[in-house]
Every structure is written in structure tokens, then in C-alpha cells.
Amino acid sequence: MSEPTTTTGPTGPLGIRTGDAYRASLDDGRELYLDGKRVTDPASHPAFKASVDELARLFDLQHDPAHAPVMTWKDPQSGLTLGRAYQPTRTLEDLRAQRASAELWLSESLGQHGRSPAFMSSIALGLYDFRHRLEANRTGFGANAEAWYRHCATHDLVLTHALGDPQIDRSADPVDDPDLALRVIEENDKGIVVRGAKQLTTLAPTAHEVLVYLSASFTQRSAEQFVVWCALPLNTPGLVTLCREPFGAEPFGHEHPLARRFDEQDAMLFFDDVLVPWDRVFLLRDGALARTGLGRINAWSAYIGHIRYRERLRTLLATATMVAESIGVDGFRNVQEELGKLASYVELTEYFIDAAEARATTTDSGLLAPGDTAAARVWSAEVAASAVAAVRNIGSAGVLMQPTPNDLAHPRLRPHLDRYMRGKNIPADQKSRLFRLAWDLTGDSFGQRQDLYEYVHRGDLARNRINLYLRHDQSETRGRLERLIAGPGAPADTQLQEGAHP
């Protein structure tokens, strides 16, 4: 394969990004706070450095001749080599190429990166696909969406999205208390001015841009000020990012092998009367269109989300298997049942990915979008806790009580550790690292965060179940049952009489 095409434009490098370029790009003057202190360069800060380095490593894989054919594509419009996730999918072959790329990104991160560039780039693609409908909202909005998608693709940007409104008083109406939701307070010749906050913006401290959307629930006329889709660089004046407590620190020598590398950070975004230029506005004051667009622009990300979850389940299954083998319980019937449950989850997720491809449809903009798998997303949230519990059930108290590297290095302790904390055909130090991995995956602050993420990131579970019920077409089966219970003399169901099938 020829060398990737990279040039320099007025706003920086064009084409696929290197790890070093990603690190350097984060020193951009953003207003970022952690524990009451402003962070000027996330790439060098101890709370973020390891996770930034991990993303940088993944960016460098795009330049590796062994991985570049899977992770990149040549854009005929710009002539640049771009990330595969940005490729418009017009055929099943295109869709499967995007799948292969996401599988590489997400297997490299063991399914722990919920906001992987493979995921968020696909939402930019979804916005591009929906551009014609956005143009109908207001002249120029569709062109804005296309221009932003191309800007993100050609600069290989790391993206995040801002969805949830602050948890102040969910029983109140934002119309009565405007601070409850992000809102437009002004339109002028330069753009719109927004005020408010968005919560739990994953990856914001180490991303380049944020896409604001989701305001599909505000459909009444008086609440139109809350319906806004737009995108902004995270160093935009007036945009303040507040981080939660970081995971993966190593007090007392304890290891956190997953948290150290894969903590994506979650943040509150405060919009302190932020000016959004008109060329970064995509939708305004149309709740019905926002509701329609929510599913459309997330068609690809839902597909990628299944791939990511399958990798997480594979990680849970392999960890549980190795833990069981290390303590000699892998032959126990109850343990094999737990492992079989995890294996079934992995295989079912594979079916969902295949189903999204089998149900793929051509959109009104001419792209082939993965088919709807809303029920699979509900199932994923439902089984998430069970998948984590399987690892904990097998490892039991052992996932909690393991020596640290300093313990293992201590001459007084080491003989006891080798004698009493070894496993079946596995030395104490290796067993300790395995069980620390299991703890990091399921029990510590990072593991608990990942478990919560699986439950909430697909949206409100009750609402999603209700939506499935409301849209499910029962008419044919109900008709058969209604004819069956109509009583003596009711018209016979010819198909039932003849044993035919619909």
C-alpha cells in the first residue's frame, strides 16, 4: 500500500492523524477543570496522559501497513487517506469494511472505549446522511452538516457528543425553569447564543469537538428554544469543561490495568452564553424533526455499538475463563453454566450485528444504513449487570484480595504469597495480575463506571421498552385471536382451518 496522503491546510494537518499530532492538538487553550484546578494540556497531565497515549497508539495503527487497509480509505473527493469510520457506505461491502475497521479499533481497546473514534465518527456520517432533511429545517443547515462532516473527516478529529440535561429537578418543566436544559437565548447575524449545561459528556477533556443534539422531547411550541443541534470546538470561548474524579490512579502501588489506559473521562459542559457561528448550526426549533433525526443519525453508531459491546463481552468471558482455570473450578458444573451464559451473550451480539447488515436499507440520501436493532439495544442493557456478575461469581472474594507489586517484591511477604496466594499451575504474581484485571473490569471505580455506562448510554431503558411496544405491529396476530374468541358462529379463519402459514 502506498503511504497515506497527508497535507496541511489552514487549520492543521489533513488526512489521518498520527499519535503525536493528536497529543499536540490537545494543548489548544480549552477551559478545562479537574478538582478545582485548570488543566492547560491534557496530554501531559497525570490524570489524562495514559488514556491520551492509548488513543495516540490507536491513531498510529492507521499508519501501520498491516492495519491501514482496514482502518483507512481513499476519499475520491479530497484525494486524502481518511479514517474508515467516515466512509459513506453505499454497498454492503462498504458496511462490512466499516465493521472490520471498528472491530480492530474496539478489540484493541478490549471493548472499553465507548466513545472510540470508530463510534463517534459514524455519528458525523449519520449527520451527513440526514443533511437533506436538515436543509428543509432552514436553508443552509444541510450544507452546514455536510461541511462539518468533511471537516471532521479530513482532520481526523476526536469527537464527543453532549446529550443529557442537568439533573436539577426532573419533575419540573424547563419552560418554567430554563436552567433545566440547554437553550437558545439569542439569534444574531453571527450565529446563535446558547446558555445552559450538558452532563456526562464522555471523552470531552480529550476530544476536539462536541456535537450537541438529542433535544427531541421538546415538541410544544413554548419549548422550541430548547431544540438545537450544533457543533463546537471544545476550546470555544465560554465553553467550560468540568471533569469527574479520574480513575486509574495507583495509590499504595495498586495496579489498575484497564482504568489507567481506557478511562475516557466524563464531564459536565457549561455553556456560558456561547456563540455558535451559523455555519455550525444544523437544526433549530423543530422537535418533530429532531425526534426523527435522532434515530437516523445514530443508525451507524448503533451498529458500531454492538461491535463494541461484543468486544466487551468477549473480554468478560475470557477473563472469567482464565480466573476459573487459575483456581481449578473451570470443570465445575455451576461455573461452566456461568461461562456458557457469557458465551451465549457473545454469540447473540454477533447475531445482532449480522441482523443490522441483513436489514440494511438505502436512505433518502443514497447511503446504505444498518437496519434497526432497537430491541437488541434493550437486551444489551438488560444483560449488562448479569455479564459482570458472572465474573464476580467465579472469582468470588479473590477479585478483592490480591497483593500489590510492592507486596510481591517484599522479602518477608513473598514466601507466604508464593505458598498461599498462588493458583493452579499459575504463580502468585501472575495470578495477582489476572485477578487485579478482573477487579478493574468489574469491581473498582472504573469497573462500576463501565457497568453503569452499559445500563444508561443507550437511553432510558423503560422508555425504550415502551417505544418497542408502541411500535410493534400486532394486528395480524390480534386478528387471529379475536376471530378465535368471537364465539360460536364466528367466521372461520381459513388459514387456520387449512393449516396455512402467512
Side-chain angles (χ1 to χ4, degrees):
M1 178 179 175
S2 60
E3 287 297 310
T5 305
T6 304
T7 61
T8 301
T11 56
L14 299 178
I16 53 173
R17 189 180 291 270
T18 65
D20 285 342
Y22 169 59
R23 291 185 187 92
S25 68
L26 297 178
D27 186 6
D28 60 2
R30 66 186 62 200
E31 194 172 353
L32 173 65
Y33 294 90
L34 172 65
D35 191 30
K37 300 179 181 66
R38 185 164 181 177
V39 176
T40 56
D41 181 15
S44 61
H45 191 283
F48 307 106
K49 183 179 185 306
S51 58
V52 168
D53 287 346
E54 181 62 25
L55 272 176
R57 182 184 71 84
L58 295 174
F59 274 115
D60 282 337
L61 289 182
Q62 297 183 115
H63 297 266
D64 184 336
H67 300 303
V70 174
M71 300 180 75
T72 66
W73 67 295
K74 189 68 169 289
D75 175 29
Q77 181 166 332
S78 66
L80 296 168
T81 299
L82 306 179
R84 178 74 72 178
Y86 286 110
Q87 180 180 4
T89 55
R90 293 184 169 83
T91 65
L92 188 56
E93 182 181 16
D94 291 340
L95 202 57
R96 288 176 173 162
Q98 193 179 90
R99 170 178 176 170
S101 175
E103 286 173 338
L104 200 159
W105 277 95
L106 297 165
S107 64
E108 285 286 329
S109 58
L110 300 173
Q112 304 306 303
H113 271 168
R115 288 299 171 272
S116 164
F119 176 86
M120 280 304 305
S121 302
S122 70
I123 295 180
L125 175 61
L127 191 76
Y128 167 75
D129 176 63
F130 199 57
R131 65 193 185 281
H132 302 303
R133 298 290 302 276
L134 297 173
E135 187 69 18
N137 176 234
R138 191 176 296 190
T139 301
F141 282 179
N144 291 349
E146 179 171 359
W148 182 73
Y149 153 78
R150 296 201 180 281
H151 172 70
C152 295
T154 56
H155 290 80
D156 207 10
L157 296 185
V158 177
L159 307 175
T160 183
H161 54 187
L163 305 177
D165 293 310
Q167 287 180 314
I168 299 173
D169 182 358
R170 292 290 171 89
S171 69
D173 190 333
V175 174
D176 300 322
D177 184 354
D179 286 340
L180 299 181
L182 184 74
R183 66 194 186 279
V184 178
I185 62 170
E186 180 186 340
E187 293 186 28
N188 57 44
D189 58 345
K190 294 181 180 179
I192 61 173
V193 178
V194 295
R195 178 185 298 168
K198 286 287 186 178
Q199 75 168 23
L200 213 64
T201 306
T202 299
L203 201 65
T206 53
H208 297 116
E209 299 224 2
V210 58
L211 176 65
V212 178
Y213 65 111
L214 189 66
S215 47
S217 57
F218 301 115
T219 55
Q220 65 266 39
R221 192 171 186 83
S222 59
E224 288 180 343
Q225 62 180 312
F226 302 106
V227 182
V228 54
W229 288 14
C230 60
L232 286 169
L234 281 152
N235 64 350
T236 297
L239 181 56
V240 179
T241 303
L242 174 65
C243 304
R244 60 151 166 80
E245 176 186 358
F247 305 140
E250 299 180 2
F252 310 111
H254 287 278
E255 292 180 301
H256 296 271
L258 296 178
R260 187 177 64 252
R261 294 171 59 192
F262 302 125
D263 182 17
E264 296 180 299
Q265 256 291 346
D266 305 292
M268 287 289 294
L269 295 185
F270 303 115
F271 296 79
D272 189 12
D273 292 3
V274 173
L275 174 67
V276 183
W278 279 119
D279 64 356
R280 290 304 193 91
V281 181
F282 312 130
L283 186 153
L284 277 179
R285 308 183 190 282
D286 190 337
L289 183 62
R291 189 186 304 107
T292 299
L294 184 61
R296 275 286 299 276
I297 73 169
N298 284 290
W300 285 267
S301 68
Y303 172 65
I304 302 302
H306 290 315
I307 296 170
R308 198 272 315 161
Y309 191 49
R310 183 193 61 189
E311 295 305 321
R312 174 168 165 80
L313 290 170
R314 283 176 168 173
T315 300
L316 288 165
L317 173 58
T319 302
T321 302
M322 293 168 69
V323 166
E325 292 170 349
S326 76
I327 55 176
V329 299
D330 52 306
F332 291 11
R333 180 179 174 86
N334 64 309
V335 171
Q336 290 185 341
E337 183 181 10
E338 291 279 9
L339 295 172
K341 177 172 65 178
L342 281 173
S344 74
Y345 292 169
V346 172
E347 293 203 15
L348 282 168
T349 310
E350 183 80 18
Y351 300 157
F352 301 149
I353 300 167
D354 291 342
E357 293 174 358
R359 293 181 170 189
T361 57
T362 301
T363 70
D364 53 11
S365 75
L367 300 191
L368 186 71
D372 179 57
T373 51
R377 297 196 296 276
V378 167
W379 173 89
S380 297
E382 290 172 338
V383 304
S386 173
V388 169
V391 181
R392 288 202 295 255
N393 291 343
I394 294 170
S396 190
V399 300
L400 179 62
M401 182 60 228
Q402 289 298 322
T404 71
N406 291 335
D407 294 330
L408 289 159
H410 198 286
R412 176 77 171 102
L413 293 173
R414 185 59 186 257
H416 296 294
L417 302 180
D418 286 339
R419 184 172 185 179
Y420 299 114
M421 300 196 76
R422 60 188 169 88
K424 179 185 179 182
N425 301 320
I426 184 172
D429 56 350
Q430 189 175 345
K431 180 189 173 188
S432 170
R433 288 192 292 272
L434 171 61
F435 274 70
R436 291 298 302 177
L437 173 65
W439 174 247
D440 211 23
L441 188 61
T442 66
D444 72 355
S445 54
F446 174 78
Q448 291 298 308
R449 183 268 178 196
Q450 299 298 84
D451 189 26
L452 178 63
Y453 174 86
E454 297 300 346
Y455 185 76
V456 303
H457 91 95
R458 299 172 182 88
D460 180 74
L461 183 56
R463 181 197 64 208
N464 291 342
R465 286 171 175 152
I466 291 168
N467 286 340
L468 282 173
Y469 159 67
L470 292 176
R471 77 180 196 183
H472 188 74
D473 184 3
Q474 302 185 58
S475 57
E476 184 175 350
T477 304
R478 281 181 61 100
R480 291 173 177 276
L481 295 178
E482 287 165 357
R483 289 191 293 272
L484 186 65
I485 67 173
D493 187 318
T494 305
Q495 288 186 321
L496 286 177
Q497 265 192 340
E498 297 175 356
H501 299 282

